[in-house]
Each structure stands twice: as C-alpha cells, then as structure tokens.
Amino acid sequence: MTAVTLELAIGMGLTADEFERVQILLGRLPNLTELGVFSAMWSEHCSYKSSRRWLKTLPTEAPWVICGPGENAGVIDIGDGQALVFKMESHNHPSYIEPYQGAATGVGGILRDVFTMGARPFASLNSLRFGDPKHPKTQHLLEGVVAGIGGYGNCMGVPTVAGECTFDARYNDNILVNAMTVGIADSKRIFYAKARGIDSPVVYVGSKTGRDGIHGATMASASFDSGSDEKRPTVQVGDPFTEKLLLEACLELMSDDVITGIQDMGAAGLTSSAVEMAAKGGCGIELDLDKVPRRETEMTPYELMLSESQERMLMVLQPGAEAQARKVFDKWELDFAVIGRVTDTGRMVLKNEGTIAADMPIEPLAEGLTYDRPWSDTRASEDLPCLPEVAPMEALCSLMTTPDLCSKKWIWEQYDHTVMADTVSGPGGDAAVVRVHGTNKAIAVSTDCTPRYCEADPLLGAMQAVVECWRNLTSVGAEPLAVTDCLNFGNPEKPSVMAQFVKAIEGMSDACRALNFPVVSGNVSFYNETEGSNIPPTPQIGGVGLLDDWGDVVDLALGSRCDRLVLIGNSPGHLGQSLYARHLLGTDMGNPPSIDLAIERQNGNLTRKLIKSGLVTACHDISDGGLLVAIAEMCLAGQRGATLNIGNNPGELFGEDQSRYLVSTTAEFLDRILEQSRVANVPARCVGTVGGDTLTLDSANAISISELTIMHERWLPSYTATERPVRIKGNN
C-alpha cells in the first residue's frame, strides 16, 4: 500500500497548507484514494481557486438567460419554446502532449457538456493557437490537432462551422486548443447536475472505465517542463462512435422524465461528477466501486475514481426507473450499471470489496479553495516607432500571404460543415450561420480574440475580443445574445499574470454590460507556462446571436448585387499593435486601438438595421489588417474586383481602428444608407465601386483577384506539405 506523505501530496498538486487542511477536514491522515480525490477536486482546473472571486464580477443575467455559469453549459431562450445550450472549453495541455487524442477528446468533452443538459448539438467551433511555423514541432501539432477535431466531430455528425487559427512563437511549447459547441433544447426540459431524492439510484452509463486520463485534471493545472512529453498516460482516448450512441441514448431517456440529475464524467471523472451532483443537491452519495464497468483488471479505487476515460455519464434516476432506463441503454449497446444511491449524510462514501475505501465530506470537496492571488499591473504604454515606407499593394500582398491572414481553407475543408443540412453560412466569414431545424430562425456563432492586443493592454484586449465577436454576429445580421469564454493565461501565482487576468475580466465586464451581451458559461485555463515562459493572455470569446429569418443573412462576398462599398465608422488610422506594424517591424509594438463602447453599440445597431431593411448586399467587420485587408477579403470571397478612392495613407489603409464595418449596396440604395447613417449620427462614406477582376487603388496599385487568390491560398497547403523533423528530446 502506498504511504500517504506530504511529498506524495505535493506530487499530486497539493500544497503543504492544502494537505494540512485535508487532514483537519478528515480528522486523520487521508488514504491514497481520498488524497487523490482531494487533489483532483482542489486542482485549479476543477476548483477555479485563483479565478473564482473575479469571475463573479462578470455580468451573467438578462431576460433571455435561463441558466448562467455554474452548470455544464449556459442556456438562453430563443423563443417558440426553444433554448440554446452552449459552452467553450480548453484542452490545451493534452493537445500538446498528444495532439490527435487531445484535440479529439476536447471535442468529445464539449459535446457531452451540451447534450447532458438535454440539448442536441448542431454546431461546433474551435480556436487554435500554434507556435512559430519554423518551430520543429508546430507542423506536427497543427496536423494532429486538425485531424483530431475533424476525426471526432465528423464521426459525431455535428458540423464544425467556424473557428480561427493563428501562429505565434509565444505558443511554441504551449499551444491552445479551445472548442465550442451549441445545441438546441426544449426550454422547459433542461437537465441539471443535481442529485435529488434520498435512496434514489445512482447510475453509470456509457463506456467502460480504463486507466487512461488518470490525474488529467491535475496535469491541466500545472505548468509544463522538460518532462511533459512523458505525460501521455494522462491524455484520454476518445471513441466518437460510442459517444454518438451515448448522445442518442441520453436524449431518448430524457424524453421519458425519469432522470432527476445527470453529469458528464469529464475532468476528474467519477470523482467530479459524483461530488458536483451531490453538492448541488445538498445531499450525500454512496458508491459501490465493485459495480463500476471496467475494461482493465485489478483497478484500484484510486484508479476508478480518477480515471478520465471518455464517453461516460453519471445519472440519478427516479426510484423504480432502473429497468426502463436499462432497456434504453441495452438498445444502444452501452454499459448500464446501478453503482450507488443518494444519501442524506452530506458525505461521499466509497465501498470496494466489502470495505470502506473512502469517506469524505461533500461540501469542502465541491467548494474547493478560493485564493486572492496578489497581482501587480506593471504594464507601461509604448509608442509606435516610425514605420518604413512601403507601396500599399505590395504591403497588402505580403500581409495576405502571412500565417496571420492567409486562407485557412486547408483546415476547415477537413471538417464536415454541412452535415445535418442546416448550415447557411459556413467557415470563412465573420460568423457562421446555422438554421434552427424545422424553423425559419437561424443562429449565428463566432469566436474571437487578439492576443497581441491583450498582451499590450489586457483590459483593452479583452474588451476588444468581446466587441469583435459582437461585430461579427452583427455583420451577418444577427442580434447578439450571449457569450461563453475560454480564458487562457499563464501561471496565476505570478503577480504579473494574475494582473493580466484581473484586467481582462474588467475589460470583458465593461464590454458585456455596455452591449447587453451576458456571459453564461465558460472555462479558465491557467498554468499555460513552459519552463517559466507564459503564453500571451488569450481570453477567447465565443458569441451567439439570433436571426428571425435565415433568409435575411448576409455574408462578406461581393456578389452580383454589390455596386458600392460604404465604410461605416471613423478611421483615425491607428497602427499600434496592427498586423501592418508587426509585418514591417518584425515584432508587436505600440498600444492597441482605443474602444468607445457607446460608439461600438451605436455603429453596430445601425449596421444591423441596414441589413434587416434589405439595403446591404454584403458586410464585413474591419479588424486584423484594417480597411484594405477587409476589402481584399470581400473581393476574394466573391471573386469580384473593386476600385477604391481611399488614398495611400498607411493609417487609412491598414489601421485597426474599432467600431467599423464595410458594407456593399446597390447604386440605388447608396443614398438611403448614407442618409440613415446621418440621422443616426454615424460616420459613413462611399469608398469605392465593385466590379471587374482587379483590386485597384490607382493606376500604380492594382492586382488581379485571381493572382491575389493564389497568393492568399498558397501558404498553408505548402507548409503542411513540407516534411519537418519533430524535435525529440535527447537528440542533437
């Protein structure tokens, strides 16, 4: 038997003080199983001990919010008795260690978070951050992650409709893989992770338990070091075909009103699902581990409780419903086992081979710890140096071929984004649009963050992530409704990193309040650090919006009904932290653009009104790369040219000023758009005409759309076609 010592506790991620607290709570030294349970539940990943006090400051309420943070996913009302269920999660550490399975199980986990609440998933998104393309592991990680996302999502039959992918050397040894899923449910039939009814049966369903993923939650709550590649056993192994069966079985049983509580076995597996359900129900739980289905022999209670084997659920059923429920899971050829009961003790009691394997109080396990980490904001303003002169079209062509702005078609073509036949607008635009099946309504979804802004100014950067997501939803004609997030940061024990987090939360809060865009779910991923080097703060924002009629959607492509280009919003020409400056200087310098939230809302509301009135034939928000890049992207999407009258000033062409949209319209509607803008007190001006097969600034600055297309689409396929050696530790 393994001796429980302070050294062992520290090896499991507990501090000396936390280990002492465990002993005080138990009134004795914990056994190995109890120590493992406490270490998992008190990990950063499960307890949110460094972030909890700050997350409580986010706006989470609105008349349409049914369920905010604290459950498996957020829930909002979209009318007609329907609800959206959605969340974003991270699987960063596992995806770096084992990219295919790490990314695949990240998708599987977020899908379970959604359907465990009674929703059928209908759209998935992702946000991927990789290191420098020249780094020896980047290509391997990129290809593995993309394959994992596609492999799991495609088999599940859930379309992957949107996302983003960027490259930056600061993610070299700590990539980010964030996944988001949206589902549809009956607004009156939402299921929660709450155990109810003393002596009600506790049921295990899904796949069998193995030894994969043990201490995955603890691993996700620690920094990387030189031995991280040896942590492959902590990465779960996914089976999408089993998850598809589990989804259908759960939704079928949910229609029979016999489930009183349900929880996905995600991080910390059986431990977290049992503890969280009992805590939310204010009760206790007793489990007989001998009855847990397993695929490996001689598994210990410690292994059974901490395994993160995938495709598993824990349910509480109404007494007497066991036979009915078993019939459903037998039909879908899934394991079904009554492994325990709800009690009134307020404790989690684990039995194994006729003895008590663990006996712990539920409340302190679930509440975890709350730390008020010290933080110090030492950020200083930085002026942008003078930029070298470069011809506008030369700069544009260079930018459009960089990893930042090149076409990501190679990635999204590996995902099935049309399965279920409800995708109206798929990857490549500002936001994806998916019809609510059987109705005229549609949901718009988008993910956004600009880490270089966040590193320069976390408050402004997080604010910008929110407003850009809001703009993207607006750009397709949707009314933005709510936010989920995935907050990726470095080591919170460092005051500078904690300062980034605190200021980012402040920026998010300000933006979400101003835009009436509440945060209803999310995830915090700390300890994205390797050998003392932290990632840039990356508060990823996922947003959802609603269109009353999917036929009203617009996209960014310049089609046959596009005659004029209109710029909505002011353009002072801010180049600090712009991609233009990054490209010319080889580094990120200057301050990010300022944001006026009142103007943001004003300009967005006008743009949405113009779209709904039928005056707009295409729309694109202006963000990375500025105005000229936005125009080029519209030309590429529609394979039509444009002639511009915007001059040659770099700030005008490439500045990343906020609160701006580029819309196209017909010649006959141009005056009406300009007049409505004047009445709304929103700056607007015509900046060019649409037509031909070239993008033209003036006679000396023009490029054919076909040539620009080739440039734009070349880099990523060429990069992935190149074999690069994977760095193996110990090799010269």
Side-chain angles (χ1 to χ4, degrees), residues 309-380:
S309 294
Q310 299 290 284
E311 296 86 38
R312 303 180 299 160
M313 292 281 188
L314 197 67
M315 297 179 177
V316 177
L317 302 179
Q318 293 182 7
E322 296 94 323
Q324 179 183 351
R326 183 184 296 276
K327 185 177 180 181
V328 171
F329 282 88
D330 284 349
K331 167 188 169 182
W332 292 100
E333 300 182 341
L334 295 167
D335 278 286
F336 177 98
V338 179
I339 66 168
R341 63 187 185 95
V342 178
T343 69
D344 61 359
T345 65
R347 301 184 71 82
M348 182 164 75
V349 177
L350 308 177
K351 296 182 177 180
N352 184 68
E353 296 180 350
T355 64
I356 302 296
D359 186 350
M360 298 160 288
I362 289 287
E363 186 175 354
L365 278 171
E367 287 187 354
L369 309 166
T370 299
Y371 289 144
D372 188 3
R373 302 275 193 199
W375 59 278
S376 58
D377 188 5
T378 58
R379 177 184 51 81

Side-chain angles (χ1 to χ4, degrees), residues 50-288:
S50 299
S51 59
R52 187 180 301 174
R53 64 160 296 197
W54 300 106
L55 296 175
K56 291 179 179 179
T57 66
L58 290 168
T60 61
E61 297 180 348
W64 52 91
V65 175
I66 296 173
C67 176
E71 274 289 341
N72 286 291
V75 187
I76 62 172
D77 193 331
I78 59 168
D80 305 311
Q82 295 176 311
L84 281 188
V85 180
F86 61 101
K87 189 183 179 185
M88 185 185 294
E89 270 273 11
S90 63
H91 231 218
N92 303 333
H93 285 30
S95 298
Y96 179 81
I97 295 169
E98 201 339 281
Y100 184 96
Q101 290 295 348
T105 53
V107 172
I110 197 63
L111 286 166
R112 289 194 300 279
D113 281 341
V114 168
F115 73 74
T116 194
M117 298 196 71
R120 179 172 292 279
F122 68 85
S124 287
L125 306 81
N126 55 74
S127 176
L128 312 176
R129 312 283 176 183
F130 296 101
D132 187 334
K134 297 178 182 177
H135 189 274
K137 289 195 72 170
T138 298
Q139 183 187 356
H140 164 70
L141 292 167
L142 167 67
E143 293 176 349
V145 165
V146 171
I149 293 171
Y152 206 102
N154 294 352
C155 292
M156 283 292 295
V158 178
T160 301
V161 297
E164 57 181 332
C165 175
T166 61
F167 299 82
D168 190 303
R170 291 165 291 182
Y171 299 104
N172 276 354
D173 297 307
N174 211 125
I175 64 172
L176 302 184
V177 176
N178 296 174
M180 176 179 169
T181 289
V182 186
I184 192 79
D186 185 330
S187 61
K188 304 292 187 184
R189 297 178 63 83
I190 305 299
F191 290 79
Y192 299 97
K194 183 177 181 180
R196 293 179 290 164
I198 305 306
D199 288 326
S200 294
V202 177
V203 176
Y204 172 120
V205 299
S207 290
K208 290 179 170 61
T209 296
R211 290 188 169 95
D212 55 317
I214 293 174
H215 267 301
T218 305
M219 182 267 290
S221 307
S223 301
F224 275 163
D225 55 32
S226 58
S228 296
D229 282 350
E230 299 170 2
K231 296 180 180 179
R232 292 181 185 274
T234 62
V235 179
Q236 311 92 329
V237 178
D239 180 355
F241 300 104
T242 298
E243 177 131 331
K244 173 64 173 174
L245 299 177
L246 182 62
L247 182 156
E248 299 299 341
C250 288
L251 293 182
E252 180 176 335
L253 189 61
M254 286 169 170
S255 67
D256 292 335
D257 291 324
V258 299
I259 298 173
T260 59
I262 182 170
Q263 174 69 36
D264 159 43
M265 292 192 214
L270 187 54
T271 288
S272 62
S273 57
V275 169
E276 290 170 10
M277 290 181 74
K280 289 175 180 177
C283 57
I285 194 165
E286 181 180 287
L287 302 178
D288 185 349

Side-chain angles (χ1 to χ4, degrees), residues 588-649:
D588 296 326
M589 297 189 72
N591 296 307
S594 62
I595 298 171
D596 186 317
L597 292 169
I599 289 176
E600 192 73 56
R601 185 163 185 167
Q602 176 181 271
N603 293 5
N605 288 347
L606 170 67
T607 302
R608 203 177 309 109
K609 178 183 176 182
L610 295 173
I611 292 172
K612 289 182 177 180
S613 64
L615 301 178
V616 171
T617 53
C619 182
H620 190 19
D621 96 298
I622 301 173
S623 54
D624 281 345
L627 175 60
L628 189 56
V629 166
I631 294 171
E633 289 171 340
M634 296 179 79
C635 291
L636 290 171
Q639 288 294 291
R640 293 191 74 200
T643 301
L644 310 177
N645 55 356
I646 53 179
N648 292 330
N649 181 275

